[in-house]
Amino acid sequence: MNAAYQFVTGPLAWAAWGIFLLGSAWRLVAMYRLARKKDASAIAYMSWGYSLRSIVNWLIPFNALGWRKNPAMTIATFAFHVCLIATPVFLVAHVMLWDQAFGVRYATIPDAAADGMTMLVIAACLFFAGRRLAMPDVRAITTPKDWFALAIVLAPFLTGFLAYHQAIDYDTMIVLHVVTGEIMLAAIPFTRLSHMVFAVFTRAYMGSEFGGVRHARDW
Amino acid sequence: MQPPTLWDWETGQKVVLASIERPENCAWVEEPTVSPDGERVAVLASLEAGGFTALVNGEPWENSFDKVWQPRFSPDGRFTAIVQRDGMWTVAVDGQPWEENFDYVWNTQFSARGDVVAACIQSGGEYGVCADGQPWENLFANGSQPTLTADGKSAALVVQTASLKPADLDAFQAGVFSVAVNGQAWDATFVNCWTPEFDAQGAHVAAQVRTTLYDYTIAVDGRIWSESYDCMWEPRFNPATGKVVAPVRAKGAWGLAQDGQIIWEPVFAQCWHQVISQDGRNIAAIVAPAFGEFTVAVNAKPWSIRFPEVTDLVIGRGGERVAALGNKENAEWRVLVDGRTWPGVWDMAWRPVIGPDGAHVAVKVEKNGRQSLLVDGRPYPREFDRLCDPVFSPDGAKLLIRAIDKGACVRIVADVAQA
Amino acid sequence: MGIQDRLIEDVGLRRGVSRLTPEKIETVVRSVMASEAGARLKAYSETCMRCGMCAKGCHFALSHPDDPSYTPAAKVAQTMGVLLKTGGRVDPGTFYGIAQLAYTECNLCKRCVHYCPIGIDTGFIMSMVRRICHKLGVTPQYIQDTAHSHSTTFNQMWVKDDEWIDTLQWQEDEARDEFPGLRIPLDKEGAEIYYSVIAPEPKFRTQLIYQAAAIFNAAGVDWTMPSQPGWDNSDMCMFTGDFEMMGRLKRRHFESA
Amino acid sequence: MKRSLPILLAVALVAALSQAALSQENIKSLAPEAFGKLTRPPARFNHDQHNEKAGLTDCVVCHHGGSDGKIDRSASTEGTPCAECHKVKPAGRSTGLMNAYHKQCIGCHKARGKGPLACGQCHKR
């Protein structure tokens, strides 16, 4: 047990963070170089103002047309994304680990809140899964990759939730939690989760094209 | 009606017509056109009594017509327009219509000296060219993009050699377009032909052609280059060597090719409007070293100055001077000469004019609705309502300024050195 | 449900597909991918989360509520998705469906952009599919005919050089009965407004030119229309995927202005 | 002086034992009052059992001295509550109370390859 735990929280954690950070940076640089080479016309129209305008407008729930026409999805996806990022970042136990390892301390959220947020993430994942099964137009476009992405995200929250409540076998669960979390980090640059890295740019381009070329909104 | 050497080059100002106002018997008059020597100003006029005519220096033509359009002075100073009578069209030169009439006439063209006047004609649904009243013997299913040799002895036209049934993709892609010279089409036909261009002697014609939907090349007298390209632009003959130079797109970038051989490596996002000096040694073109950044390249070397758009490239006869215009979205016009930007930003500028010896450059510019000239970068001290392009005297020492100001048409000859 | 279940007969598509082989399709797909498809296509194809929100933005999807294969994401999956997954090695029959979908079931309106949180441009992806179709010679008959017209006359309706000017003068004449002294000024240098139309106006709806002239006349503005080809501001070559001709048309139009 | 030594030792022992009797013998968990309201269940820790199992006889291994964030294992501090030196909100380079416990326990467990490492292994519900 100790050896396993030490391995997943030691070398494996370094590897996961390394893959996530370096992988994302490499993907961004590679994509930028590709864009320089072949999407010069798109780069020429990129504008800070229109990019930010579009991003901000899409970050407001029910502001964009797409949000308004898909209300349930809007609630689910906003709750999901906020909790997905905030819970692990501000979780007391995680901050403790930063503190122990690097002496880094910052604000935390109460465990009860984190517990609720985790349940929200799990619930949102179930909602997404339900859509993929129940809605014909979503089912038609769902691929194994999408289930894979969903599973990768669900796993650390589910195991984290079980570990926190020390249900089932704690020792196994905590190792599983660490491993699944690391899988998620490492998967970000190379799976559907790469939208975390690229979405800001695809949105920014669309904002720039609609703002600068069509003189229209894109939300 | 005389060559520029015989024009009045005495320094000073002359009022050609004191008032370009509408005379009483005219319902309205259109925009004035000024002759190349500046001695005559013409307007098309709608007569109160019905019909149209032209007023040249205020004097109406003897004839009036049902319709008159496309007013143009020939280089030798004759005033031409396309006229309609009884539903038939022809060209009137100084008020005298050609004897031949056509179902339609357009695109008046002149020889360099102005002794030949030609135009596109359509007769019974067939197309061709008519020069000095003599129509081509062979007409075609369609014709466009006419060009005339410098001496006016030959005309070329992109023609359709067979009619097409509606939406017949196979027939179109088999190629039904060609170039006809004096009514004789090339033997070869192509999917498309564009921008036919004569050489200096008027003996050869080069045109862009598309041999399939995807392969672009140049055909000279109907024979295509051995190389084809992803895309290309208008060919120009080198006046000294007779070789054909055209911008080509290869490997996703633009360069220049000559007789099928690359002479400027394709490194530009765009390359077009190439001009060649008379000695054939200097070639300049408008190029974009990067997307959306234009400049001029001389012998493949781009200038360092960049603008969102560059237009109106000209080269001096000897190739010693290269001038163009830069602008930003059709505003903030600047004059670019030999890689440098002249001081001043203008609402609009027109194609630069380089003197015959290459020593001087004059450019018509506009700011706040008033037009003036820049001569070698210096503003001419007077503004006008409207100007025509400036003309240098054959020795390059004088400048002819043709202007309309305060309702009068004036002709000014200035010393270039003092302008 | 999918494109293969609703193929229609089109002379142009059938003719194009009859000359294809899987090898030829693969070669062209690979060359377009190598030379033209860039970061945008890559980012779009990778980051689409298949959330299906775009379905509500597409009039094709809305008018086929029972057929999920019409949603933008589904249309991408059936066209570019197939080409990317197979590396372009698809049989000609499949390609018929890809072309039909790209040309007739997405009209590149980009409305779905307003529904996609990530900003995926389905219209752009479909233009890339059309680009490949053009390169393979698989385009619907009538749109290809307009592209041919553009390449010849620089307008989409085979309006010949003289027919254009004649039409303007005819409308000017007609309008003068109602508005004496009305003009449609041709090639007036320095005019403030350059008025351009699309070819169906002179071809079928000449009164639109009459009406525009009447408005300009009443407003007293300084306007002009070109007598030379280049007056048509439409560009069906952009829609067929013939980007070389597209560039030629754009240049002609701007230089005419 | 020689006679007084045993007495002094006895007094010290009594004092120490009396304190130990107050704390050590009853210790089943680590939940110093200084933390106030606890976020997690207190870490279960039976002092004597732990030491027996771990073969710990030297108190200073855990009850160390030191200052400025540096541990001094020559000065034993048994009997002094951890919270006395390790403040909940540490000043300067000294170690905070929570890190003191975490690092002390986990560090040793890691080094010996025995004993709990993960949160829930000590903070049992």
Side-chain angles (χ1 to χ4, degrees):
Chain A
M1 168 61 203
N2 275 29
Y5 183 81
Q6 272 184 266
F7 176 69
V8 299
T9 53
L12 209 55
W14 281 104
W17 278 99
I19 293 170
F20 165 52
L21 293 175
L22 296 177
S24 299
W26 173 73
R27 295 241 38 208
L28 277 178
V29 169
M31 199 63 104
Y32 179 68
R33 290 167 94 171
L34 182 62
R36 292 279 321 178
K37 203 168 134 207
K38 295 209 209 146
D39 301 73
S41 59
I43 290 181
Y45 285 107
M46 287 298 269
S47 117
W48 281 101
Y50 290 125
S51 295
L52 290 172
R53 188 180 81 157
S54 173
I55 291 166
V56 165
N57 274 292
W58 272 91
L59 284 177
I60 302 169
F62 298 106
N63 184 52
L65 200 52
W67 296 141
R68 286 202 297 276
K69 297 283 180 183
N70 295 279
M73 181 65 175
T74 303
I75 293 168
T77 197
F78 271 94
F80 171 79
H81 281 97
V82 168
C83 297
L84 174 76
I85 293 167
T87 313
V89 169
F90 298 109
L91 187 76
V92 173
H94 289 174
V95 177
M96 285 313 310
L97 292 174
W98 288 121
D99 193 4
Q100 268 173 55
F102 305 108
V104 174
R105 250 186 309 254
Y106 54 83
T108 55
I109 46 176
D111 271 5
D115 207 28
M117 287 160 74
T118 304
M119 286 191 273
L120 271 180
V121 171
I122 295 168
C125 284
L126 294 176
F127 172 79
F128 295 150
R131 285 179 90 241
R132 294 213 179 282
L133 295 172
M135 288 176 65
D137 47 356
V138 186
R139 191 172 59 217
I141 51 177
T142 298
T143 63
K145 278 185 175 180
D146 305 301
W147 287 114
F148 183 60
L150 196 56
I152 283 180
V153 173
L154 175 64
F157 284 84
L158 199 57
T159 52
F161 181 77
L162 291 172
Y164 175 73
H165 291 283
Q166 295 171 19
I168 319 183
D169 175 31
Y170 176 79
D171 286 9
T172 313
M173 207 50 77
I174 192 68
V175 173
L176 271 180
H177 171 66
V178 176
V179 171
T180 51
E182 285 162 354
I183 289 175
M184 182 174 85
L185 275 183
I188 286 171
F190 306 105
T191 61
R192 287 255 192 272
L193 304 184
S194 64
H195 75 270
M196 172 178 164
V197 182
F198 296 126
V200 64
F201 297 101
T202 48
R203 183 82 264 157
Y205 172 71
M206 239 36 242
S208 300
E209 182 186 312
F210 272 69
V213 182
R214 297 164 195 277
H215 304 292
R217 317 192 315 183
D218 66 325
W219 61 88
Chain B
M1 295 262 199
Q2 41 184 248
T5 41
L6 300 179
W7 294 354
D8 175 8
W9 288 107
E10 201 63 44
T11 308
Q13 176 178 325
K14 183 156 85 183
V15 175
V16 175
L17 188 64
S19 168
I20 55 165
E21 285 296 293
R22 166 178 70 94
E24 276 191 358
N25 62 341
C26 293
W28 79 78
V29 295
E30 298 187 358
E31 298 73 30
T33 311
V34 180
S35 65
D37 63 3
E39 301 281 6
R40 307 212 295 163
V41 55
V43 292
L44 300 183
S46 165
L47 297 168
E48 290 280 11
F52 291 81
T53 190
L55 306 175
V56 180
N57 284 359
E59 291 298 315
W61 274 354
E62 291 172 20
N63 297 307
S64 69
F65 302 91
D66 298 341
K67 286 180 188 171
V68 182
W69 75 288
Q70 206 161 75
R72 282 177 187 175
F73 272 101
S74 73
D76 65 4
R78 292 182 292 167
F79 182 62
T80 72
I82 292 165
V83 297
Q84 187 203 51
R85 237 182 212 172
D86 304 326
M88 296 297 281
W89 292 90
T90 193
V91 173
V93 180
D94 279 340
Q96 289 307 316
W98 288 344
E99 282 177 17
E100 290 273 348
N101 287 296
F102 308 95
D103 288 340
Y104 206 78
V105 179
W106 71 106
N107 250 339
T108 323
Q109 310 251 316
F110 305 100
S111 60
R113 281 192 296 148
D115 51 340
V116 177
V117 180
C120 285
I121 55 163
Q122 181 259 110
S123 205
E126 293 193 302
Y127 291 75
V129 172
C130 179
D132 281 344
Q134 285 296 314
W136 281 0
E137 283 176 22
N138 289 328
L139 299 179
F140 298 88
N142 195 359
S144 63
Q145 308 178 59
T147 182
L148 205 59
T149 55
D151 62 11
K153 289 196 174 124
S154 291
L157 190 67
V158 172
V159 296
Q160 186 178 337
T161 56
S163 60
L164 286 170
K165 289 199 293 283
D168 188 343
L169 307 187
D170 285 318
F172 178 86
Q173 286 174 22
V176 292
F177 287 89
S178 185
V179 170
V181 180
N182 297 336
Q184 274 304 313
W186 289 344
D187 292 333
T189 57
F190 304 97
V191 174
N192 289 108
C193 298
W194 298 286
T195 61
E197 171 87 5
F198 279 105
D199 68 346
Q201 291 72 38
H204 302 287
V205 181
Q208 306 173 66
V209 299
R210 189 158 71 147
T211 54
T212 72
L213 287 187
Y214 319 103
D215 295 303
Y216 292 75
T217 188
I218 294 291
V220 181
D221 300 334
R223 279 185 306 281
I224 57 170
W225 285 358
S226 53
E227 291 292 309
S228 70
Y229 304 89
D230 297 340
C231 201
M232 66 193 324
W233 299 124
E234 64 282 349
R236 293 276 177 266
F237 281 95
N238 184 315
T241 64
K243 290 181 173 167
V244 177
V245 177
V248 296
R249 183 178 166 87
K251 293 184 207 130
W254 287 89
L256 280 185
Q258 176 173 277
D259 289 354
Q261 304 290 318
I262 295 283
I263 55 167
W264 287 15
E265 280 305 313
V267 296
F268 300 110
Q270 188 53 272
C271 173
W272 55 21
H273 291 284
Q274 75 279 19
V275 291
I276 310 173
S277 63
Q278 287 299 309
D279 62 6
R281 295 218 181 113
N282 290 304
I283 302 177
I286 296 173
V287 299
F291 183 88
E293 290 181 24
F294 281 86
T295 187
V296 171
V298 181
N299 298 327
K301 275 188 62 176
W303 290 349
S304 57
I305 47 175
R306 303 284 156 86
F307 297 88
E309 285 150 60
V310 169
T311 61
D312 298 280
L313 174 65
V314 289
I315 192 166
R317 291 178 57 82
E320 63 291 276
R321 273 291 164 88
V322 176
L325 303 173
N327 76 79
K328 187 180 173 188
E329 287 171 13
N330 207 24
E332 297 178 33
W333 289 79
R334 288 176 168 85
V335 182
L336 324 174
V337 179
D338 294 337
R340 280 199 204 80
T341 311
W342 278 0
V345 182
W346 311 93
D347 296 341
M348 184 72 203
W350 281 259
R351 187 179 294 272
V353 179
I354 299 177
D357 54 0
H360 304 286
V361 182
V363 185
K364 167 186 164 188
V365 292
E366 179 177 310
K367 200 168 206 168
N368 303 325
R370 299 283 289 166
Q371 298 186 342
S372 188
L373 284 179
L374 298 177
V375 183
D376 296 336
R378 301 184 310 272
Y380 184 74
R382 187 175 156 191
E383 291 179 339
F384 307 89
D385 288 338
R386 234 196 87 199
L387 269 179
C388 301
D389 281 337
V391 183
F392 282 98
S393 62
D395 62 4
K398 302 277 179 68
L399 193 63
L400 169 63
I401 300 168
R402 301 168 291 159
I404 287 164
D405 200 33
K406 302 185 184 84
C409 178
V410 296
R411 180 187 193 275
I412 301 169
V413 175
D415 274 325
V416 173
Q418 286 155 26
Chain C
M1 280 177 286
I3 183 65
Q4 292 296 333
D5 305 322
R6 50 173 185 267
L7 295 183
I8 46 169
E9 265 317 300
D10 177 89
V11 173
L13 294 180
R14 187 56 69 198
R15 167 181 169 276
V17 162
S18 72
R19 291 178 296 203
L20 293 183
T21 60
E23 292 72 34
K24 191 173 171 195
I25 299 172
E26 188 180 9
T27 311
V28 167
V29 169
R30 282 183 191 278
S31 93
V32 171
M33 291 297 168
S35 61
E36 297 176 37
R40 286 174 71 195
L41 185 70
K42 201 179 173 91
Y44 292 155
S45 64
E46 215 178 277
T47 55
C48 172
M49 293 304 288
R50 314 299 177 105
C51 70
M53 280 170 62
C54 51
K56 295 202 167 57
C58 179
H59 52 278
F60 285 96
L62 291 173
S63 56
H64 295 91
D66 300 324
D67 188 344
S69 69
Y70 280 99
T71 66
K75 290 188 285 193
V76 171
Q78 291 171 85
T79 53
M80 188 55 90
V82 173
L83 296 178
L84 287 174
K85 203 155 62 187
T86 57
R89 204 176 171 82
V90 296
D91 65 84
T94 306
F95 199 80
Y96 192 108
I98 289 175
Q100 178 184 325
L101 196 160
Y103 283 110
T104 70
E105 295 177 8
C106 168
N107 52 8
L108 317 182
C109 73
K110 302 205 181 196
R111 199 172 132 79
C112 46
V113 164
H114 295 83
Y115 291 76
C116 176
I118 296 178
I120 290 175
D121 185 350
T122 305
F124 167 79
I125 299 171
M126 284 298 165
S127 324
M128 291 303 294
V129 177
R130 289 187 181 192
R131 172 70 175 156
I132 291 165
C133 293
H134 161 73
K135 285 272 192 179
L136 284 166
V138 183
T139 44
Q141 180 187 17
Y142 284 99
I143 194 168
Q144 186 57 42
D145 186 56
T146 61
H148 288 165
S149 170
H150 269 305
S151 75
T152 307
T153 63
F154 290 90
N155 68 73
Q156 58 163 286
M157 292 258 154
W158 298 101
V159 177
K160 293 174 179 173
D161 297 7
D162 59 320
E163 293 169 346
W164 161 247
I165 315 164
D166 202 11
T167 304
L168 294 185
Q169 290 173 335
W170 167 42
Q171 288 309 307
E172 183 184 51
D173 235 17
E174 297 261 308
R176 271 180 196 154
D177 289 343
E178 193 178 348
F179 309 98
L182 174 144
R183 283 179 64 203
I184 298 181
L186 294 176
D187 304 328
K188 181 177 166 188
E189 194 190 291
E192 268 172 51
I193 294 172
Y194 169 106
Y195 184 57
S196 73
V197 298
I198 56 171
E201 296 187 40
K203 191 88 178 177
F204 301 119
R205 291 279 179 274
T206 42
Q207 74 274 18
L208 293 174
I209 295 171
Y210 176 119
Q211 287 154 3
I215 293 168
F216 282 126
N217 185 56
V221 294
D222 181 16
W223 70 297
T224 187
M225 290 184 86
S227 71
Q228 293 281 321
W231 48 265
D232 184 346
N233 59 32
S234 71
D235 183 351
M236 301 307 287
C237 295
M238 178 176 84
F239 293 113
T240 62
D242 188 347
F243 295 166
E244 287 79 15
M245 269 312 302
M246 171 178 96
R248 189 169 291 271
L249 292 172
K250 290 285 165 279
R251 177 183 172 189
R252 186 70 181 240
H253 186 56
F254 281 96
E255 290 184 358
S256 119
Chain D
M1 196 57 198
K2 275 183 184 172
R3 288 174 65 97
S4 61
L5 188 63
I7 299 165
L8 276 173
L9 273 174
V11 171
L13 196 65
V14 169
L17 279 177
S18 63
Q19 212 177 13
L22 280 173
S23 50
Q24 279 173 1
E25 274 175 16
N26 291 336
I27 278 186
K28 294 280 189 304
S29 64
L30 301 174
E33 281 174 15
F35 280 134
K37 193 168 173 288
L38 296 173
T39 306
R40 292 275 172 131
R44 300 208 182 151
F45 177 75
N46 190 311
H47 184 265
D48 294 354
Q49 266 178 25
H50 174 263
N51 293 354
E52 198 177 315
K53 216 171 162 183
L56 277 178
T57 48
D58 193 354
C59 304
V60 82
V61 169
C62 297
H63 299 277
H64 57 254
S67 63
D68 261 359
K70 281 205 179 105
I71 289 176
D72 178 6
R73 293 215 195 273
S74 62
S76 180
T77 56
E78 69 259 34
T80 312
C82 307
E84 199 133 302
C85 302
H86 296 286
K87 299 297 176 199
V88 173
K89 287 192 175 140
R93 302 178 59 186
S94 61
T95 306
L97 184 58
M98 200 183 296
N99 256 346
Y101 280 114
H102 285 155
K103 286 186 166 174
Q104 176 99 299
C105 300
I106 297 171
C108 192
H109 296 166
K110 268 188 182 167
R112 295 180 173 229
K114 277 181 197 153
L117 301 173
C119 317
Q121 291 171 323
C122 291
H123 299 284
K124 287 205 168 138
R125 289 181 191 279

